[in-house]
RNA sequence: GCAUCUUUAGCUCAGCUGGUAGAGCAACUGACUCUUAAUCAGUGGGUCCGGGGUUCGAGUCCCCGAAGAUGUACCA
């Protein structure tokens, strides 16, 4: 960014400060209290003679000649500084006069109430800890009846994403979203840990990618002179760990999918996947429902959320429904008994675009997605997916056309995906080879055949349940944000050419 | 990807049927020893998102492009 009038003036101040023999970026600081600490027990602190040293960012200045007020903020709170030449002496006060809103300072003195009754630090010494040379956007705040009214709010959405540090600094409600995200993720870890799961880390750079239908990012390793893929899912590696004898594993981490970006998609996003030996689809429903309810009720503290224009209730017992029945209720079509030709005709009639190489299973999913999914507002486990589009899931007992799989739908969107995992190595090979044929026919999101994974299965894998939850979307719901960019600190943005 | 809207000072915004750019805050100078959106007086500050075009004249009209938002299609 080019130098502007502001940075030029502040660099001149910097030179003046240095000419006074003061280092504007000293190594040492000596904070005795966080601001939040001294905001408690105000009366007794004022009555006593306790000296405190506070440190933080100067966020506002009100100067009047040989007296001035500033607001000092750290991550625990904000307090007013009372700065007078009488207390500081001329030299130190002249340093204060060179300070700007945005500087980091250390202030030493006693706590007192001003004539206006505001709890403040009466400064006896101001030390500069870090000079600012680019002014912060001038947001002003007034407290009326305990509620904050902000003027000239830093509100430009694009700037908020591109300069997230300013958003966090100037918009406390956005900082709270990320604090809550952090608590949600750590609570999810504790929830899994307390159920005997161990957290693992598997490769992000993979020689083959798999575990989902998606196009990958490709990168290159110089020393190996080989192409690698950024993972699109962790499924196949976690299953290898179950083969290796771990019975309960989970991973929370980034996946990368080389696809479009919009309100609910970022190219890199966070998933939690878990696998549990000797469990199955029902076990996964209990796990997912228990986890999300715990996060809502115990961490966020409520069970009703407004999301994407809908009011969603997470309390109560969640509905478990069958995809073919849902489709039948919505369209009258019995997708299990109707012929593929009938389904094609139905899709054509409703102008649903049929992807290349779609067989019956894909048609059923297509019809479901258009006529059912977006209408499912309250949490619903949609079971009985077509087996054909579930290449890593076991067949449903008693119905070879269906998979023992569910997706959790809330407010018309997918929040989790789970199966009774396929552990028959020969069946798995057939399914992946069928996927490879789809690829050959032009479906570039179909799975690839991972021989190393198939070999692992051949050594034997116990029956198990596995699930994946999209963490970003869960945080969107739990923080009531309709855009994924609001819950990712640094969302992917196109280069800014201006 | 397509459609619509937005882009003007550091921030938030105004700018009419085309006439040569404004406000508040921030900044700077001065006054001010209990202010708190401090106040008062004064001053400076612009690639009007970028590039073309029409016109005597374009922030404004037309075309191309960029970024963002929203809707829509596909993927979590």
């Amino acid at each position: 960014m080019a130098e502007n009038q502001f940075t030029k003036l502040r660099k001149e101040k910097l030179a003046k400060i240095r000419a006074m023999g003061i280092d504007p970026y000293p190594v040492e600081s000596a904070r005795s209290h966080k601001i939040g600490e001294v905001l408690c027990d105000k009366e007794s602190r004022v009555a006593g003679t306790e000296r405190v040293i506070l440190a933080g960012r100067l966020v506002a200045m009100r100067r009047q000649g040989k007296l001035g007020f500033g607001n000092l903020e750290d991550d625990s709170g904000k307090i007013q500084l009372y700065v007078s030449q009488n207390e500081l002496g001329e030299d130190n006060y002249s340093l204060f006069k060179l300070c700007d809103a945005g500087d980091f300072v250390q202030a030493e003195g006693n706590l007192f109430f001003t004539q206006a009754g505001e709890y403040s630090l009466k400064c006896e010494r101001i030390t500069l800890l870090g000079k600012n040379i680019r002014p912060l956007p001038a947001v002003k705040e007034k407290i009326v009846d305990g509620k904050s009214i902000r003027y000239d709010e830093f509100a430009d959405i694009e700037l908020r994403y591109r300069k997230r540090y300013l958003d966090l600094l100037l918009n406390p409600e956005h900082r709270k979203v990320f604090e809550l995200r952090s608590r949600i993720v750590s609570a999810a870890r504790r929830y899994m840990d307390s159920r005997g799961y161990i957290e693992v880390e598997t490769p992000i750079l993979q020689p083959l990618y798999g575990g989902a239908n998606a196009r990958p990012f490709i990168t290159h390793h110089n020393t190996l002179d080989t192409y690698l893929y950024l993972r699109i899912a962790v499924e196949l590696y976690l299953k290898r760990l179950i083969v290796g004898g771990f019975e309960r594993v989970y991973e929370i981490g980034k996946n990368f999918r080389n696809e479009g970006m919009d309100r609910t998609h970022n190219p890199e996003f966070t998933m939690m996947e878990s696998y549990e030996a000797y469990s199955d689809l029902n076990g996964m429903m209990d796990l997912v429902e228990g986890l999300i309810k715990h996060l809502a009720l115990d961490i966020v503290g409520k069970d009703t959320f407004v999301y994407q224009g809908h009011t969603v209730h997470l309390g109560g017992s969640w509905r478990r429904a069958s995809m073919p029945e849902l489709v039948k209720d919505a369209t009258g079509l019995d997708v299990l008994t109707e012929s593929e030709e009938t389904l094609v005709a139905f899709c054509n009639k409703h102008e649903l675009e049929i992807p290349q190489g779609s067989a019956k299973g894909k048609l059923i999913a297509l019809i479901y997605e258009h006529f059912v999914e977006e209408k499912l507002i309250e949490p619903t486990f949609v079971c009985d997916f077509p087996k054909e589009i579930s290449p890593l899931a076991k067949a449903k007992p008693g119905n070879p056309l269906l998979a023992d799989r569910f997706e959790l739908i809330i407010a018309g969107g997918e929040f989790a995906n789970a199966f009774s995992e396929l552990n028959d190595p020969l069946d798995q090979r057939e399914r992946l080879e069928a996927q490879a044929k789809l690829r050959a026919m032009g479906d570039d999101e179909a799975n690839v055949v991972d021989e190393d994974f198939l070999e692992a299965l051949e050594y034997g894998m116990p029956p198990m349940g596995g699930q994946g939850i999209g963490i970003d979307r869960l945080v969107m719901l739990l923080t009531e944000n309709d855009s994924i960019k609001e819950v990712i600190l640094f969302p992917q943005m196109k280069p800014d050419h201006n």
Side-chain angles (χ1 to χ4, degrees):
Chain A
M1 182 65 86
E3 176 156 309
N4 61 28
Q5 51 171 326
F6 300 103
T7 58
K8 188 164 173 251
L9 281 161
R10 294 207 178 178
K11 283 181 186 173
E12 288 167 13
K13 286 189 183 179
L14 207 50
K16 285 184 195 166
I17 291 165
R18 289 204 158 103
M20 293 163 71
I22 294 169
D23 179 359
Y25 303 101
V27 171
E28 288 183 358
S29 58
R31 170 161 79 172
S32 71
H33 293 71
K34 293 189 73 160
I35 292 169
E37 289 177 62
V38 302
L39 292 178
C40 310
D41 308 320
K42 293 178 184 174
E43 272 74 15
S44 64
R45 287 180 195 278
V46 168
T49 55
E50 178 184 40
R51 281 175 72 82
V52 299
I53 306 175
L54 304 178
R57 193 191 283 269
L58 211 43
V59 291
M61 292 281 267
R62 294 177 293 283
R63 262 193 272 259
Q64 33 181 323
K66 297 186 174 65
L67 170 71
F69 296 88
N71 293 339
L72 188 71
E73 188 173 86
D74 69 15
D75 72 359
S76 67
K78 186 157 72 173
I79 191 169
Q80 177 169 273
L81 303 181
Y82 169 95
V83 187
S84 75
Q85 188 170 284
N86 275 356
E87 310 288 335
L88 289 193
E90 252 179 67
D91 286 353
N92 199 212
Y93 195 77
S94 63
L95 171 66
F96 174 69
K97 284 201 286 190
L98 290 168
C99 288
D100 294 293
D103 292 350
F104 281 89
V105 301
Q106 177 173 299
E108 180 174 357
N110 297 298
L111 295 155
F112 80 121
F113 288 103
T114 64
Q115 283 178 17
E118 172 131 0
Y119 183 66
S120 307
L121 182 71
K122 182 177 280 184
C123 298
E124 287 166 27
R125 177 153 196 85
I126 293 284
T127 308
L128 187 57
L129 296 181
K131 184 90 189 84
N132 154 316
I133 58 163
R134 185 183 292 273
L136 296 170
V139 177
K140 295 218 167 184
E141 193 181 24
K142 183 162 95 173
I143 309 292
V144 177
D145 299 331
K147 290 191 73 175
S148 158
I149 300 174
R150 241 175 288 157
Y151 299 84
D152 300 325
E153 187 171 3
F154 182 71
D156 184 286
I157 295 173
E158 185 176 352
L159 274 182
R160 283 182 40 231
Y161 298 155
R162 289 192 193 278
K163 313 272 178 208
R164 180 69 89 184
Y165 47 92
L166 293 178
D167 186 31
L168 296 171
L169 197 57
L170 301 170
N171 296 315
E173 69 278 18
H174 297 142
R175 178 165 34 187
K176 284 202 177 74
V177 168
F178 293 102
E179 288 168 357
L180 189 51
R181 178 178 177 133
S182 171
R183 283 194 281 131
I184 287 167
V185 171
S186 63
R189 285 202 162 89
R190 286 195 301 277
Y191 190 90
M192 301 304 284
D193 294 346
S194 71
R195 275 157 185 76
Y197 281 83
I198 63 164
E199 182 175 11
V200 298
E201 294 175 272
T202 64
I204 288 172
L205 297 175
Q206 303 182 345
L208 283 174
Y209 61 96
N213 298 335
R215 281 175 291 162
F217 286 91
I218 303 172
T219 188
H220 181 262
H221 189 284
N222 288 341
T223 303
L224 297 176
D225 189 19
T226 185
Y227 287 97
L228 293 170
Y229 301 96
L230 272 62
R231 67 185 180 195
I232 60 171
V234 297
E235 176 154 357
L236 303 186
Y237 281 90
L238 295 191
K239 284 178 172 173
R240 285 172 169 96
L241 296 179
I242 301 285
V243 169
F246 292 120
E247 292 194 359
R248 297 183 179 197
V249 296
Y250 74 100
E251 178 163 8
I252 295 176
K254 289 277 182 74
N255 287 342
F256 307 84
R257 299 193 185 173
N258 207 338
E259 289 161 354
M261 298 156 54
D262 62 25
R263 217 178 64 248
T264 57
H265 296 84
N266 196 63
E268 54 181 292
F269 63 100
T270 303
M271 283 262 292
M272 180 178 91
E273 285 191 40
S274 72
Y275 293 84
E276 178 175 338
Y278 314 112
S279 184
D280 59 14
L281 197 69
N282 286 314
M284 292 302 102
M285 285 194 228
D286 294 341
L287 177 72
V288 169
E289 184 169 342
L291 171 62
I292 294 178
K293 280 180 174 168
H294 165 65
L295 297 175
L297 290 166
D298 302 330
I299 305 304
V300 183
K302 59 182 188 174
D303 66 359
T304 302
F305 297 85
V306 177
Y307 179 62
Q308 308 289 359
H310 300 290
T311 300
V312 171
H313 304 86
L314 299 185
S317 196
W318 294 358
R319 181 183 179 196
R320 301 181 178 194
S322 164
M323 182 192 290
E325 285 171 24
L326 289 169
V327 172
K328 193 173 181 184
D329 291 345
T331 66
L333 269 184
D334 188 340
V335 290
L336 293 181
T337 56
E338 294 289 355
S339 68
E340 189 171 329
E341 289 68 30
T342 309
L343 298 186
V344 169
F346 182 87
C347 289
N348 287 335
K349 186 178 149 197
H350 290 91
E351 296 179 342
L352 302 187
E353 194 186 328
I354 301 173
Q356 210 178 353
S358 294
K360 191 173 170 186
K362 211 155 195 176
L363 295 172
I364 294 171
L366 191 63
I367 295 168
Y368 155 77
E369 282 162 14
H370 279 84
F371 288 92
V372 179
E373 192 172 77
E374 68 180 22
K375 297 195 177 72
L376 298 173
I377 305 308
E378 298 290 5
T380 305
F381 290 108
V382 176
C383 305
D384 301 343
F385 272 63
K387 189 176 88 174
E388 202 186 306
I389 58 165
S390 311
L392 300 166
K394 264 187 181 157
K396 183 181 167 77
N399 192 336
L401 293 176
L402 297 177
D404 211 27
R405 169 180 180 184
F406 73 73
E407 282 190 0
L408 171 64
I409 307 299
I410 303 173
E414 184 187 336
F415 279 75
N417 185 14
F419 336 126
S420 295
E421 304 293 343
L422 182 58
N423 64 342
D424 175 341
L426 300 178
D427 189 1
Q428 183 66 86
R429 175 174 293 279
E430 279 178 30
R431 305 254 213 118
L432 287 182
E433 283 172 353
Q435 288 282 308
K437 277 188 192 133
L438 290 177
R439 281 189 78 76
M441 287 164 63
D443 180 351
D444 58 4
E445 292 185 349
N447 285 255
V448 298
V449 178
D450 185 335
E451 285 294 344
D452 183 74
F453 169 67
L454 288 170
E455 184 178 330
L457 282 199
E458 289 173 4
Y459 285 104
M461 186 170 81
M464 63 179 173
Q467 64 82 31
I469 294 176
I471 296 295
D472 309 278
R473 288 186 184 173
L474 183 60
V475 173
M476 286 167 68
L477 169 67
L478 296 180
T479 62
E480 301 184 311
N481 274 296
D482 288 349
S483 168
I484 200 167
K485 290 189 167 79
E486 295 289 0
V487 303
I488 292 176
L489 281 166
F490 299 99
Q492 194 60 236
M493 301 290 278
K494 292 187 188 175
D496 180 7
H497 296 292
N498 291 329

